[in-house]
């Protein structure tokens, strides 16, 4: 019996946490939480008061927020080699936080048709969608992986955002993004994670998926 539990829905950002769990390659149990009443129940909100997925429970520790889940698992299971070295730490945190903040906000707002007027960009954390895209391209082009020459947990998080964006058309199909994603999705853990979530999705009644 494992003391590590993933609360997720296969049609959610929970796929990011799943990739990270497969990358650290430790035993875990999956609890599929369906959208609607189950996700907003008191029971599930004792895990995540937001009533959102994903979350993980590790013994008595609960972690929500995909970026935090990636960082927590990398540090908790250092034998997987996905936490940053001293040299990688700057880029690792820089780009992970960039993706959780400016990138996520810029992509979400654009999908909702929210445009920041030019004279208000100064007060918006991400400035403009275009500058976020250019900065992201710079980040994935500087080295093979986001924190340096080596794959780390930051690639799971940043790469998942880019992968989703390319798939759903919310991120421009720039060659640098596509090449970066190809490197990541070829990884066995990435493929295992997607196969597990695709199988979970096939078992969900349509209404419960999303
Ligand atoms: N900032 C959170 C976002 C979590 C989130 O919004 N999850 C969505 C699915 S992708 C959700 O659970 N939505 C259900 C709801 O809000 O009712 C993270 O990065 O984990």
């Amino acid at each position: 019996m494992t003391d590590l539990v993933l609360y997720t829905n296969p049609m959610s950002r929970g796929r990011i946490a799943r990739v990270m769990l497969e990358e650290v390659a430790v035993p875990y149990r999956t609890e599929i939480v369906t959208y609607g009443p189950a996700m907003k129940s008191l029971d599930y909100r004792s895990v995540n008061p937001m009533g959102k997925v994903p979350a993980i429970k590790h013994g008595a520790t609960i972690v929500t927020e995909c970026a935090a889940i990636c960082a927590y698992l990398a540090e908790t299971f250092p034998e997987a080699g996905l936490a940053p070295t001293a040299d990688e730490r700057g880029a690792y945190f820089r780009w992970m936080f960039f993706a959780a903040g400016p990138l996520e906000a810029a992509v979400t707002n654009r999908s909702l048709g929210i445009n920041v007027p030019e004279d208000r960009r100064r007060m918006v954390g991400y400035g403009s969608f275009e500058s976020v895209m250019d900065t992201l391209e710079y980040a994935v082009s500087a080295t093979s992986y986001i924190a340096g020459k080596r794959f780390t947990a930051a690639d799971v998080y940043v790469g998942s955002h880019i992968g989703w964006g390319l798939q759903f058309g919310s991120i421009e199909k720039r060659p640098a993004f596509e090449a970066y994603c190809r490197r990541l999705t070829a990884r066995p853990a990435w493929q295992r994670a997607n196969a597990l979530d695709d199988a979970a999705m096939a078992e969900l009644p349509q209404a419960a998926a999303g």
Side-chain angles (χ1 to χ4, degrees), residues 90-105:
Y92 176 93
F93 286 119
R94 178 184 182 188
W95 298 121
M96 206 183 252
F97 281 72
F98 175 80
L103 176 60
E104 159 116 19

Side-chain angles (χ1 to χ4, degrees), residues 98 103 107 129-141 146 158-167 170-185:
F98 175 80
L103 176 60
V107 168
F129 181 80
E130 293 70 29
S131 69
V132 168
M133 289 298 110
D134 291 346
T135 305
L136 189 61
E137 180 168 1
Y138 162 82
V140 302
S141 308
I146 203 88
V158 177
S160 296
H161 271 280
I162 299 178
W164 276 62
L166 292 177
Q167 191 183 341
S170 53
I171 283 185
E172 295 161 12
K173 281 194 163 46
R174 298 190 184 184
F177 297 155
E178 293 179 312
Y180 176 60
C181 276
R182 269 196 301 276
R183 280 199 290 285
L184 304 185
T185 52

Side-chain angles (χ1 to χ4, degrees), residues 20-61:
M20 190 61 204
L21 282 161
E22 290 296 319
E23 285 285 357
V24 294
V26 291
Y28 66 94
R29 186 164 63 78
T30 303
E31 293 253 344
I32 299 291
V33 188
T34 52
Y35 285 106
M39 211 176 282
K40 302 299 177 196
S41 68
L42 276 180
D43 191 32
Y44 181 65
R45 280 194 286 126
S46 69
V47 176
N48 185 356
M50 293 283 283
K52 282 178 173 285
V53 285
I56 60 165
K57 195 190 261 181
H58 182 213
T61 303

Side-chain angles (χ1 to χ4, degrees), residues 62-78:
I62 290 174
V63 189
T64 62
E65 299 302 317
C66 290
I69 291 171
C70 291
Y72 174 84
L73 291 173
E75 290 201 12
T76 305
F77 301 104

